[in-house]
Amino acid sequence: MPAACCSMGDCQRSPPWFFLPSPLGCDRFPGGLGCRCPVRASGSFVTYSGALLGDFLRTPMISDLVHIAAAGGTVLTANKRLARQLNARFDEDRMASGQTVWPAPAILSLDAWLMRQLTRLHRGAELLTEMQSRRLWEEIIAADAMACGRDLLHVPQAARRAGEAHRLLADHLAEIAPADCDEDHLAFLRWRTAWQSRLRERRWLDRADLPAVVTAAFAAGELETPGTLLLAGFDDLTPAVRRLCDTLAGRGCRVEQWTAPRLADVAVVRHDAVDMAAEVRCCARWARAQLERAPHRRIGVVMPQQSDYQPLVERIFRAEFAPDSWLAPGDAPETFTLSLGTPLAAEGVVRAALRLLAAGEPLSIDDLGWLLRSPYLGGARGEGSARACADRSLRRRGRREWRLGALARALSAVPRMAAIIESVAVSRRDRQRRSPGEWGELFARLLQDCGWPGERGLGSREFQALEHFRGVLGQLATLDRVAGPMPRGDALALLGRLSAEAVFQPEGGEGQIQILGMLEAAGFTFDALWVLGLHDAAFPPPPRPHPFLPLPVQSRLRMPHADALREREFAATLAGRLFAAAPEVVVSWPGQLDGAPLRPSPLIRDIARDSLPLAPSCDPFLAVRTAACVFEEFVDERAVPINAASPFAGGTSILTDQALCPFRAFAHHRLHAERLDVPDLGLDGLARGSLVHGVLERFWQTVRSRDALLALPRTARLELLTAAAEETLQHHERRNRYDLPPRLRGLELRRLVAMADGWLELERERPPFRVVDIEQRHDFVAGNLRLRTRIDRIDELANGTLAVIDYKTGRPDPQQWLDARVTEPQLPLYCLDLPEDRVGAVLFAVVRRRQGECTFRGLANDPDSWPGMSAKSQAKLLDESGLGGLGEALAHWRRVLPALGDAFAAGWAAVDPVDPQQACTYCDLMPLCRIGESEGGTDGDEREGDGDG
Ligand code: SF4
């Protein structure tokens, strides 16, 4: 044994109570304890073989801890996780020795132990919960801001930071002098003074002050001094805890510190990954390879930026270790255990409760749709389909928001849902100020009235989230001590914040793969360990000094995150611990983050790269994308034909869809698959187009010819158009059961009159005509298909032929009539039923806001007589299609259109877009037809490979 390892009495570099246990023993301290001298900590003293670590319990140092606890010593851990692990090992040890009952060991986290001491003190002071303490800070900060005339944007955030700053000062036994402070620091001092005096007045105690209170009690002999105290898994002890240890040591307690063994025979290799996804994928495959090699190995995965990595780690590990769990997302796989939970508010059952309670007045269509589709509300099972239909029909009415009163009537088809909305409306009318506890009770009652959490059975995760949320609701009552009465909105915001801050971690068995944060891994050893995310921007992290404390004070006291030197030293301590926590260690870093290149952390730069054993990927998504497995192919392009006994009826959109893509026609018109409408501000493009149609239709019903148009004075024309626009808007409002807001209505009326008036100026330039039909319906039969079309207008021209006209407010392309599939079949379809020699023109009437953009576009026997058209432009239009004129176009339509109808009737449903640019860009069926997958499309995961950079 090197002499330097046992210089306890002589060592000047550590307080005398800093010890490490040694399995080899020590001549001055035969109990197996060595000092914490850096020479000792370098690993030259203790050497374990990897085999010993195969069984955590048999690791000599772990056994030491268990034996100390068994002998009545107290083991205090840095976190609850380590305490849980040691307690479990203790129990296993007792059982292995044949015992059936044994006293509970004193193994607990430092925080829990401090609270136990406070209970023994019987001081009568009440310990505030974290929530109560925060609420008190909020009240004091808000009152201070009001008194100073300052407008603090985010009081809850300031309260959180103030609580942190107080804890830092308490942990470091420090005070700050006003002379060292700027304006923000002074504000904090002011708040802290008020906060402390409120605590004194009410005899309340904050958790940050617990070490000081307990230390004073031990010093005064008010608490019984323990015989042995072992601190386990601490990377760094705060001055407050050091003082506590000094006090205990001074009163005869044997205080020792234990850290996990640092192995000498450790193989550390570096892995360079392309990015985070590739890094995590590689880590998961490596972990699988480890378990395939020896199923009982304990694997650790540790990361510095846990919140950045957690979603990625959860998704990729789940895909690699439990691909079938995607089919039952509620049940977590048990191969791996993630230490970091998720915000409680993100759990579905809790989100439903919060969204219901927060249902606004008015309620947005998105929130309403969410509630209608939620399975967590009463009646969701019985009214499920009817609620989905109600969601669709309410969206079609084009309103972005609904008043709750109007909504109860609009939901008459789903009475249970209507009753739920009514309950919410009643609750929202409560204008009283109440205590948080009262609001908690009222919220719980409202949720119960609304049938939350629904009738279906909850999974294990949902049930645990539900119970946790009930606990949070109950905790509102604990705030009554520190908070005054508040309005409903404030109580709801408080509940939302508490739920967002509450960390939810479903309970379950411990997996063999432990995925931990760096600090949580303190005290753990593994058979193999992977440390993720060690790039230069994260490890050591950049300093983040606290904004409420003067920087020189933070640096002097070496507070966490105070400056770069402190971060570097702490990162080196962590690296020293982690890189020796398993016989096999992999350290890795991603080559880029959001496109910005990264470099390896200086702490791993000199570690050599090596190839790693990787298991093949089990991720089903990757397997599909890379065609890594053999798939059975089944081409399914033909649906059941339409029943010959009952003709299929529909509009020309069937042929439009069939021409664009047969699957689109099948999905839209036979499966009735369509995306939900997303109501926009004001009127959408479709509604505005149909209003223009309505105005012109009404105008031409009165003014039936060009002669009548020319004879009409401008003022009379405008009056007629205004009346037509008014009538059209009324019709629109009646049909949608929704009155447009007056200002929007006035604007729309003026727009309609201006557009129609501009268009009529163009009509005045035409040769004589007579309007013979407006909005004429027409039936067309193709095989078993009966289509109904409606034509906007038919004019009789001076030579007795007919012009078939369709109004368009967009930018129509008559070329679509001429392409092989006729993707715009409405006018061609109508022409098929007219005698060929009667068709004089087939035209789009392009009605635009700017008069210069108004024009006719299409095919005519005499194109020069139509404003905006000419023989030259028509020849150019026909050129590409190879057709010679309107007559040949009619023949083309007679061939193609019936064939399209027959194909639809026969069930032809291939995913075959006429042109992906034209057909797919605005198609709502992409998630259903999966053209992206069939064309080999991928998303970001495509880059994931073995990930070697
Ligand atoms: S997205 Fe394209 S391929 Fe898919 S149904 Fe629509 S048009 Fe057809």
Side-chain angles (χ1 to χ4, degrees):
M1 178 184 304
C5 80
C6 200
S7 52
M8 178 197 168
D10 314 318
C11 179
Q12 301 301 308
R13 305 181 72 155
S14 301
W17 43 267
F18 267 54
F19 305 115
L20 283 171
S22 156
L24 304 177
C26 163
D27 51 3
R28 288 185 62 181
F29 301 95
L33 304 169
C35 81
R36 199 175 180 242
C37 168
V39 177
R40 155 70 183 78
S42 68
S44 62
F45 175 57
V46 182
T47 305
Y48 293 111
S49 73
L52 278 174
L53 285 170
D55 181 341
F56 189 71
L57 183 62
R58 291 207 188 93
T59 302
M61 293 187 179
I62 301 294
S63 298
D64 283 349
L65 293 182
V66 169
H67 292 319
I68 286 171
T74 302
V75 179
L76 303 184
T77 60
N79 53 52
K80 286 187 202 159
R81 172 173 286 271
L82 184 56
R84 257 200 326 269
Q85 288 275 346
L86 290 177
N87 273 302
R89 301 297 171 250
F90 182 90
D91 293 344
E92 283 172 23
D93 190 47
R94 298 298 93 177
M95 281 190 278
S97 65
Q99 297 183 40
T100 50
V101 287
W102 54 87
I107 303 176
L108 65 174
S109 69
L110 174 64
D111 286 345
W113 181 79
L114 287 170
M115 276 195 269
R116 191 177 282 182
Q117 301 313 309
L118 182 72
T119 315
R120 288 180 182 153
L121 260 179
H122 303 299
R123 278 272 176 84
E126 278 187 78
L127 185 67
L128 293 183
T129 63
E130 209 170 302
M131 211 184 342
Q132 290 169 325
S133 179
R134 178 94 64 86
R135 183 65 202 173
L136 194 59
W137 279 111
E138 284 177 14
E139 298 231 326
I140 283 166
I141 292 171
D144 181 82
M146 199 175 286
C148 299
R150 286 178 68 184
D151 197 10
L152 258 188
L153 277 181
H154 212 297
V155 171
Q157 178 79 350
R160 187 173 63 80
R161 299 299 258 164
E164 287 169 4
H166 172 73
R167 175 173 277 277
L168 279 173
L169 291 176
D171 283 348
H172 289 80
L173 307 172
E175 289 297 330
I176 47 177
D180 298 332
C181 295
D182 67 13
E183 199 187 339
D184 283 346
H185 307 146
L186 286 173
F188 166 67
L189 277 187
R190 224 172 33 245
W191 302 336
R192 187 168 178 242
T193 306
W195 184 80
Q196 286 175 322
S197 85
R198 185 82 64 91
L199 255 57
R200 271 193 304 276
E201 274 167 30
R202 306 280 173 92
R203 293 176 54 74
W204 289 336
L205 186 65
D206 187 73
R207 278 162 194 255
D209 299 319
L210 255 184
V213 170
V214 171
T215 303
F218 276 120
E222 296 174 58
L223 285 170
E224 189 186 335
T225 306
T228 306
L229 203 64
L230 190 86
L231 296 160
F234 288 83
D235 287 311
D236 198 8
L237 290 176
T238 63
V241 176
R242 284 168 192 249
R243 193 173 67 174
L244 171 66
C245 294
D246 284 338
T247 304
L248 288 169
R251 294 188 64 81
C253 174
R254 181 174 157 189
V255 184
E256 298 166 3
Q257 190 183 11
W258 176 89
T259 54
R262 296 183 184 194
L263 309 179
D265 300 332
V266 173
V268 184
V269 297
R270 196 181 88 198
H271 173 73
D272 303 348
V274 175
D275 57 17
M276 280 167 63
E279 185 187 14
V280 174
R281 173 80 59 195
C282 204
C283 172
R285 291 174 54 195
W286 168 85
R288 276 201 33 235
Q290 294 287 328
L291 291 184
E292 281 170 14
R293 204 170 99 202
H296 299 296
R297 282 167 83 77
R298 288 169 36 83
I299 313 295
V301 175
V302 173
M303 49 208 159
Q305 321 94 324
Q306 205 174 354
S307 53
D308 291 351
Y309 270 91
Q310 171 124 345
L312 202 56
V313 167
E314 184 161 12
R315 180 170 64 78
I316 292 177
F317 270 69
R318 182 185 277 266
E320 290 293 347
F321 285 93
D324 52 343
S325 74
W326 288 107
L327 300 175
D331 300 328
E334 293 198 349
T335 317
F336 61 94
T337 305
L338 278 159
S339 72
L340 187 68
T342 49
L344 179 64
E347 295 298 309
V349 65
V350 178
R351 268 177 66 177
L354 292 172
R355 279 183 94 150
L356 181 70
L357 294 172
E361 178 67 287
L363 184 61
S364 76
I365 190 75
D366 286 339
D367 285 342
L368 175 58
W370 199 92
L371 293 175
L372 280 164
R373 295 191 304 273
S374 171
Y376 297 113
L377 300 184
R381 185 166 262 183
E383 286 183 351
S385 301
R387 286 183 188 181
C389 292
D391 183 22
R392 189 177 64 169
S393 76
L394 289 176
R395 284 169 184 277
R396 283 188 175 159
R397 286 163 70 171
R399 294 167 59 169
R400 297 177 81 219
E401 291 178 338
W402 287 82
R403 312 273 335 157
L404 294 182
L407 202 51
R409 286 191 297 279
L411 292 173
S412 54
V414 282
R416 179 74 178 102
M417 192 68 200
I420 288 173
I421 296 292
E422 179 59 26
S423 301
V424 174
V426 171
S427 163
R428 287 193 60 88
R429 286 198 283 272
D430 189 339
R431 299 267 181 263
Q432 284 199 47
R433 294 175 75 87
R434 300 175 187 276
S435 69
E438 271 184 278
W439 281 121
E441 275 176 35
L442 287 175
F443 292 153
R445 204 172 308 149
L446 175 59
L447 288 173
Q448 194 180 2
D449 292 347
C450 295
W452 180 81
E455 296 93 1
R456 73 188 177 95
L458 297 179
S460 163
R461 185 184 178 107
E462 289 171 315
F463 182 76
Q464 290 182 53
L466 171 89
E467 289 299 310
H468 197 149
F469 182 66
R470 282 190 174 138
V472 171
L473 267 175
Q475 282 171 22
L476 275 181
T478 65
L479 296 180
D480 288 359
R481 281 196 302 170
V482 292
M486 56 181 69
R488 184 182 189 274
D490 285 6
L492 201 52
L494 190 59
L495 179 65
R497 220 165 52 236
L498 292 177
S499 307
E501 287 174 7
V503 177
F504 173 64
Q505 187 162 32
E507 287 175 12
E510 291 269 307
Q512 282 160 276
I513 304 173
Q514 297 282 322
I515 303 173
L516 307 158
M518 282 207 160
L519 298 181
E520 287 173 304
F524 283 80
T525 54
F526 306 94
D527 294 326
L529 172 69
W530 185 305
V531 189
L532 291 161
L534 299 180
H535 57 83
D536 59 344
F539 195 69
R544 285 177 290 115
H546 200 286
F548 288 170
L549 300 176
L551 183 55
V553 174
Q554 295 186 56
S555 287
R556 179 166 47 79
L557 296 173
R558 299 181 55 71
M559 288 183 177
H561 316 302
D563 54 38
L565 178 65
R566 204 276 180 191
E567 292 299 86
R568 262 206 315 274
E569 288 178 0
F570 191 61
T573 304
L574 289 179
R577 162 166 64 78
L578 282 172
F579 298 175
E584 293 174 38
V585 178
V586 182
V587 292
S588 66
W589 63 286
Q592 55 102 2
L593 183 63
D594 297 333
L598 300 170
R599 286 178 303 176
S601 159
L603 291 160
I604 64 166
R605 213 169 279 158
D606 296 333
I607 297 175
R609 293 180 59 199
D610 202 353
S611 62
L612 299 168
L614 299 181
S617 174
C618 281
D619 186 334
F621 294 100
L622 272 190
V624 169
R625 286 171 186 171
T626 57
C629 50
V630 181
F631 290 100
E632 189 180 336
E633 232 177 78
F634 176 64
V635 180
D636 183 15
E637 296 181 329
R638 193 172 285 280
V640 179
I642 285 169
N643 184 354
S646 55
F648 192 93
T652 48
S653 60
I654 294 178
L655 289 196
T656 307
D657 282 345
Q658 187 74 21
L660 285 169
C661 168
F663 181 78
R664 177 165 159 159
F666 171 72
H668 275 159
H669 303 284
R670 294 190 63 188
L671 299 181
H672 300 287
E674 58 189 51
R675 87 170 132 223
L676 290 175
D677 291 332
V678 182
D680 209 344
L681 258 187
L683 295 161
D684 62 18
L686 201 65
R688 296 171 100 196
S690 86
L691 288 173
V692 172
H693 275 64
V695 174
L696 289 171
E697 176 193 343
R698 285 176 173 81
F699 179 84
W700 288 114
Q701 271 164 354
T702 308
V703 180
R704 305 288 307 204
S705 67
R706 174 181 177 263
D707 292 347
L709 175 65
L710 292 179
L712 197 64
R714 178 89 199 285
T715 46
R717 193 171 89 197
L718 287 174
E719 276 172 25
L720 205 55
L721 285 175
T722 306
E726 178 62 42
E727 211 179 310
T728 305
L729 283 171
Q730 281 176 12
H731 176 75
H732 173 86
E733 289 171 329
R734 267 198 312 279
R735 200 182 54 201
N736 292 298
R737 286 177 279 166
Y738 169 54
D739 287 350
L740 292 170
R743 194 166 153 66
L744 174 66
R745 195 177 195 283
L747 283 172
E748 189 56 28
L749 189 111
R750 283 205 294 282
R751 182 188 78 91
L752 289 172
V753 172
M755 278 182 82
D757 189 49
W759 174 253
L760 292 177
E761 284 299 319
L762 193 84
E763 297 264 20
R764 284 164 63 94
E765 295 172 18
R766 285 177 53 191
F769 64 86
R770 200 165 61 83
V771 179
V772 290
D773 268 314
I774 298 169
E775 296 287 327
Q776 170 141 336
R777 286 168 186 269
H778 171 69
D779 286 344
F780 169 83
V781 174
N784 233 4
L785 196 63
R786 179 177 301 143
L787 298 174
R788 171 155 290 185
T789 72
R790 183 199 289 263
I791 294 303
D792 289 345
R793 186 173 137 196
I794 298 175
D795 286 4
E796 188 179 56
L797 308 179
N799 61 6
T801 60
L802 300 176
V804 184
I805 297 173
D806 189 23
Y807 295 121
K808 295 284 182 196
T809 50
R811 299 181 192 279
D813 182 5
Q815 190 72 51
Q816 290 176 270
W817 298 335
L818 306 177
D819 58 28
R821 291 204 203 167
V822 190
T823 52
E824 180 59 62
Q826 187 180 7
L827 292 189
L829 197 59
Y830 187 82
C831 293
L832 292 195
D833 223 34
L834 294 174
E836 202 169 322
D837 57 351
R838 284 278 280 160
V839 182
V842 184
L843 300 163
F844 287 129
V846 185
V847 185
R848 307 279 300 172
R849 180 79 194 246
R850 287 205 193 112
Q851 200 178 335
E853 292 179 4
C854 291
T855 186
F856 283 100
R857 298 198 67 191
L859 299 172
N861 286 333
D862 181 12
D864 288 323
S865 67
W866 293 93
M869 289 174 52
S870 66
K872 200 170 154 197
S873 64
Q874 180 162 305
K876 199 170 159 203
L877 176 68
L878 289 164
D879 196 28
E880 234 178 81
S881 63
L883 300 173
L886 180 55
E888 286 188 25
L890 286 167
H892 174 60
W893 297 339
R894 274 185 219 293
R895 270 195 315 276
V896 174
L897 296 179
L900 279 177
D902 286 341
F904 178 81
W908 179 239
V911 176
D912 178 22
V914 62
D915 164 15
Q917 275 293 343
Q918 181 192 353
C920 301
T921 303
Y922 299 107
C923 181
D924 54 347
L925 296 168
M926 219 174 261
L928 188 62
C929 73
R930 292 186 282 177
I931 180 110
E933 281 83 346
S934 65
E935 288 184 348
T938 57
D939 61 16
D941 265 3
E942 185 185 19
R943 293 168 299 157
E944 292 176 16
D946 287 354
D948 281 333

